[in-house]
């Protein structure tokens, strides 16, 4: 008969014995939905049965041990689960984990264990994300305008992370510009929705936008890719410059505006408006505006506007018309023993009441300039002038310039110098290659030919520019 002390000792030993009941889940308690796992309960001594409980204290499985010729027979739970009992201390159940077990814990106890139970094992049931949808499906936006992209996953567990990308050649992560929200259904599954606010940029035209969703390591799903169609029009550029100084009487002045890039590139419309203080008027509906003959009324600010379906862009040029003539330019001079040939060009042609007068002048070293009179002067429609000065001294340094005047003022050209000499010929010019100093009659003849060739070249260049300038059809 056991004494009270012996009974207490037996109870303590009993508690200590059954405190070592262990429960394990193989291969892991983190499983995908409906994945089968092995739940194993191990006892420190022989047990005839094992009970498996959930945290709600509901019976998950019951397995009993009966020995018959060394074969382990299954008990009541055999009808539902694949059970095994390798020996009298180990009981195993192969169990497909349903979605409802997400967050649930289980434990086990033996038939003789009383209230002693094993440790708890908590399940995390993964439902992989299988789809992500990107909207809108049509992506056409004007530069500078906003559009909201949305990526939404199906219901899954745990909630999926959504990553946003913009790509052409190189992929760019733009997730930092997005926000997200989640919705949980009755089964505890989560649907994630991410919002990306995008502002159209011309440089993004043709790039793709898409998103990826992931809630399981090394496994993701990607949305369809939408190509960005950014409609835009670039800044208007105006040729020849932002500020243009003209002289009354100039002819064929072209103001040309253009955009270097636009989407769409077709059907760009242009318009020129001249603003003079409070007054403004449309002067052209074409890309190029032509001032056929400059008058004082042509002064003002000219605004060129280019327009396509994305919007419009404008540029300006300020035109200042002056009455005094623009300065001519001496291209080169050729000196011989007692005469010189001077070639110069003028940037305009006289017109109507603006009467221009051009006088070739020369001076000896450190002396005042005097007019060349009664000398032969040849010109052509390209405004190239060739004048011979015959009243010069030998072995003398002469400087030449051209004085141009009208009733409003006077301008002077650049200056060029040369030295007359019976033995040598020196030339100073621009526009042709510099030659060697050649003496005698043969050298003079050669320089005369060079001068003539330069005149022809200059004439042809001016003629070509004049021909190109005459092609636009816009008329004032």
């Amino acid at each position: 008969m056991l004494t009270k002390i012996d009974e207490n000792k037996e109870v303590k030993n009993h508690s200590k014995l059954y405190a070592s009941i262990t429960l394990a889940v193989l291969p892991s308690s983190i499983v995908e939905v409906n994945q089968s796992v092995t739940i194993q309960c191990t006892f420190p001594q022989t047990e005839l049965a094992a009970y498996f409980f959930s945290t709600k204290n509901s019976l998950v499985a019951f397995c009993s041990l009966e020995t018959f010729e060394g074969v382990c027979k299954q008990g009541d739970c055999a009808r539902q689960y694949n059970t095994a009992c390798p020996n009298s201390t180990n009981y195993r159940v192969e169990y497909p984990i349903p979605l409802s077990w997400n967050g649930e814990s289980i434990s086990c106890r033996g038939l003789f264990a009383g209230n002693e139970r094993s440790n708890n094992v908590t399940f995390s049931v993964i439902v992989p994300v299988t789809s992500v949808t990107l909207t809108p499906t049509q992506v056409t936006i004007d530069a500078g305008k906003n559009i909201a992209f949305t990526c939404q996953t199906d219901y899954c567990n745990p909630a999926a992370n959504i990553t946003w990308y913009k790509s052409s050649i190189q992929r760019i992560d733009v997730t930092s510009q997005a926000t997200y929200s989640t919705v949980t259904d009755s089964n505890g599954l989560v649907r994630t929705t991410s919002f990306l606010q995008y502002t159209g940029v011309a440089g993004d035209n043709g790039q793709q936008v898409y998103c990826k969703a992931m809630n399981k390591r090394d496994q993701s799903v990607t949305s369809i890719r939408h190509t960005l169609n950014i409609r835009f029009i670039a800044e208007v550029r105006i040729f020849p410059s932002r500020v243009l100084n003209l002289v009354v009487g100039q002819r064929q002045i072209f103001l040309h505006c253009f955009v270097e890039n636009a989407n769409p590139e077709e059907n760009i419309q242009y318009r020129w408006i001249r603003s003079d203080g409070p007054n403004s008027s449309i002067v052209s509906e074409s890309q190029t505006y032509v001032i056929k003959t400059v008058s004082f009324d042509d002064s003002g600010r000219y605004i060129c506007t280019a327009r396509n379906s994305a919007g419009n862009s404008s540029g300006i040029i300020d035109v200042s018309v002056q009455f005094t003539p623009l300065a001519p330019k001496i291209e080169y001079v050729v000196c011989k023993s007692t005469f010189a040939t001077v070639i110069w060009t003028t940037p305009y042609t006289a017109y109507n009441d603006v009467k221009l007068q051009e006088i070739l002048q020369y001076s000896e070293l450190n002396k005042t300039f005097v007019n060349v009179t009664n000398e032969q002067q040849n010109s052509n429609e390209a405004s190239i002038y060739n004048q011979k000065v015959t009243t010069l001294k030998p072995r003398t340094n002469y400087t030449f310039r051209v004085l141009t005047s009208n009733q409003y003022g006077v301008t002077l050209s650049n200056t060029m110098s040369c030295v007359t000499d019976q033995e040598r010929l020196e030339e100073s010019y621009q526009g042709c290659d510099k030659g060697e100093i050649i003496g005698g009659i043969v050298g003079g003849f050669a320089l005369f030919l060079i001068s003539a060739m330069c005149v022809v070249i200059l004439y042809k260049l001016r003629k070509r520019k004049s021909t190109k300038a005459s092609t636009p059809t816009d008329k004032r």
Side-chain angles (χ1 to χ4, degrees):
M1 183 175 183
L2 293 174
T3 63
K4 188 173 183 180
I5 296 176
D6 293 333
E7 289 179 355
N8 290 338
K9 184 182 296 184
E10 184 177 350
V11 170
K12 288 182 179 179
N13 291 335
H14 176 84
S15 299
K16 182 177 181 181
L17 180 65
Y18 283 97
S20 58
I21 301 174
T22 59
L23 180 69
V25 176
L26 304 174
S28 172
S29 60
I30 302 175
V31 295
E32 288 192 21
V33 64
N34 296 324
Q35 176 184 340
S36 291
V37 297
T38 298
I39 305 172
Q40 177 175 292
C41 191
T42 303
F43 297 93
Q45 66 180 19
T46 300
E47 276 287 350
L48 296 180
Y51 298 87
F52 296 87
F53 297 92
S54 71
T55 52
K56 298 176 182 178
N57 208 32
S58 59
L59 183 64
V60 175
F62 167 73
C63 297
S64 62
L65 176 67
E66 295 180 6
T67 305
F68 178 74
E69 294 181 356
V71 178
C72 178
K73 296 183 179 179
Q74 300 170 353
D76 295 342
C77 59
R79 290 188 297 274
Q80 296 180 348
Y81 313 113
N82 181 16
T83 60
C85 41
N87 52 55
S88 61
T89 61
N90 288 323
Y91 290 84
R92 296 175 184 172
V93 177
E94 286 190 14
Y95 192 85
I97 305 301
L99 177 61
S100 60
W101 274 38
N102 183 51
E104 285 286 339
S105 297
I106 64 168
S107 61
C108 69
R109 71 176 178 82
L111 182 64
F112 300 125
N115 293 326
E116 298 297 333
R117 293 194 182 187
S118 69
N119 56 299
N120 287 332
V121 174
T122 302
F123 283 90
S124 177
V125 182
I126 298 174
V127 179
V129 58
T130 58
S131 68
V132 58
T133 304
L134 172 63
T135 56
T137 56
Q138 298 295 326
V139 188
T140 296
I141 181 177
D142 293 342
K145 301 297 183 180
N146 296 324
I147 187 173
F149 289 105
T150 301
C151 261
Q152 189 174 78
T153 69
D154 58 346
Y155 282 95
C156 58
N157 184 64
N161 292 321
I162 295 179
T163 308
W164 288 91
Y165 297 99
K166 183 178 65 176
S167 69
S168 53
I169 299 175
Q170 182 179 7
R171 186 178 68 176
I172 302 173
D173 190 329
V174 292
T175 309
S176 61
Q177 303 172 25
T179 59
Y180 73 94
S181 63
T182 58
V183 175
T184 304
D185 68 4
S186 58
N187 295 318
L189 299 181
V190 183
R191 182 177 67 189
T192 303
T193 305
S194 182
F195 308 93
L196 177 67
Q197 290 290 335
Y198 171 75
T199 301
V201 178
D204 289 345
N205 185 49
Q207 293 194 13
Q208 293 182 325
V209 61
Y210 62 97
C211 59
K212 282 187 175 183
M214 175 187 292
N215 73 336
K216 184 180 177 183
R217 191 171 202 168
D218 300 327
Q219 181 176 326
S220 64
V221 290
T222 303
S223 71
I224 60 175
R225 299 174 181 239
H226 293 325
T227 300
L228 296 172
N229 179 29
I230 310 298
R231 299 187 303 181
F232 65 94
I233 187 165
E235 181 182 356
V236 163
R237 299 187 62 183
I238 296 179
F239 180 83
S241 64
R242 293 288 183 179
V243 178
L244 183 61
N245 296 315
L246 302 177
V247 176
V248 171
Q250 284 184 258
R251 293 183 179 179
Q252 297 296 310
I253 303 301
F254 298 92
L255 305 182
H256 181 74
C257 75
F258 59 95
V259 289
E260 292 185 332
N261 198 8
N263 179 37
E265 296 180 346
E266 304 81 18
N267 302 322
I268 298 178
Q269 298 177 344
Y270 294 89
R271 171 177 289 182
W272 282 94
I273 295 177
R274 185 175 70 86
S275 175
D276 184 10
N279 302 317
S280 61
S281 59
I282 299 173
V283 294
S284 177
E285 295 281 358
S286 63
Q287 190 172 0
T288 301
Y289 173 55
V290 183
I291 304 176
K292 299 183 71 174
T293 303
V294 177
S295 68
F296 188 72
D297 293 336
D298 292 314
S299 292
R301 170 161 288 186
Y302 289 78
I303 304 170
C304 177
T305 301
R307 182 185 300 274
N308 67 359
S309 57
N312 61 74
S313 177
S314 297
I316 62 172
I317 179 172
D318 291 315
V319 175
S320 176
V321 179
Q322 64 184 41
F323 286 110
T324 55
L326 295 176
K329 179 182 179 182
I330 295 180
E331 302 293 344
Y332 68 93
V333 297
V334 178
C335 279
K336 292 185 65 176
S337 59
T338 58
F339 66 91
T341 299
V342 182
I343 294 180
W344 75 90
T345 58
T346 58
Y348 55 85
T349 302
Y351 181 72
N352 292 344
D353 60 338
V354 182
K355 297 179 180 180
L356 297 177
Q357 184 178 16
E358 292 184 316
I359 300 175
L360 179 63
Q361 297 180 326
Y362 70 90
S363 73
E364 297 182 30
L365 187 62
N366 299 324
K367 292 185 179 181
T368 59
F369 280 90
V370 296
N371 296 340
V372 176
T373 59
N374 300 324
E375 300 287 351
Q376 181 181 1
Q377 182 183 52
N378 299 319
S379 65
N380 52 59
E381 60 181 17
S383 300
I384 303 174
Y385 294 85
N386 178 9
Q387 186 162 355
K388 186 176 182 181
V389 184
T390 60
T391 58
L392 304 180
K393 302 175 184 178
R395 296 181 298 277
T396 304
N397 190 323
Y398 287 97
T399 300
F400 297 89
R401 73 182 184 187
V402 177
L403 181 147
T404 303
S405 63
N406 61 14
Q407 60 265 46
Y408 304 107
V410 175
T411 57
L412 295 173
S413 73
N414 59 318
T415 60
M416 279 195 176
S417 301
C418 65
V419 178
T420 58
D421 197 319
Q422 290 182 347
E423 300 297 330
R424 296 189 310 166
L425 174 67
E426 294 184 8
E427 61 176 340
S428 173
Y429 58 88
Q430 296 177 356
C432 297
D433 293 335
K434 292 185 178 180
E436 299 179 352
I437 299 175
I438 306 173
I441 298 176
V442 175
F445 179 71
L447 287 174
F448 175 77
L449 290 178
I450 293 174
S451 300
M453 290 175 63
C454 287
V455 172
V456 172
I457 291 171
L458 288 171
Y459 174 77
K460 286 184 177 181
L461 289 175
R462 288 298 181 90
K463 187 67 175 179
R464 184 178 302 172
K465 291 181 180 180
S466 177
T467 301
K468 290 183 179 180
S470 62
T471 56
T473 58
D474 186 21
K475 299 181 179 180
R476 292 187 61 196

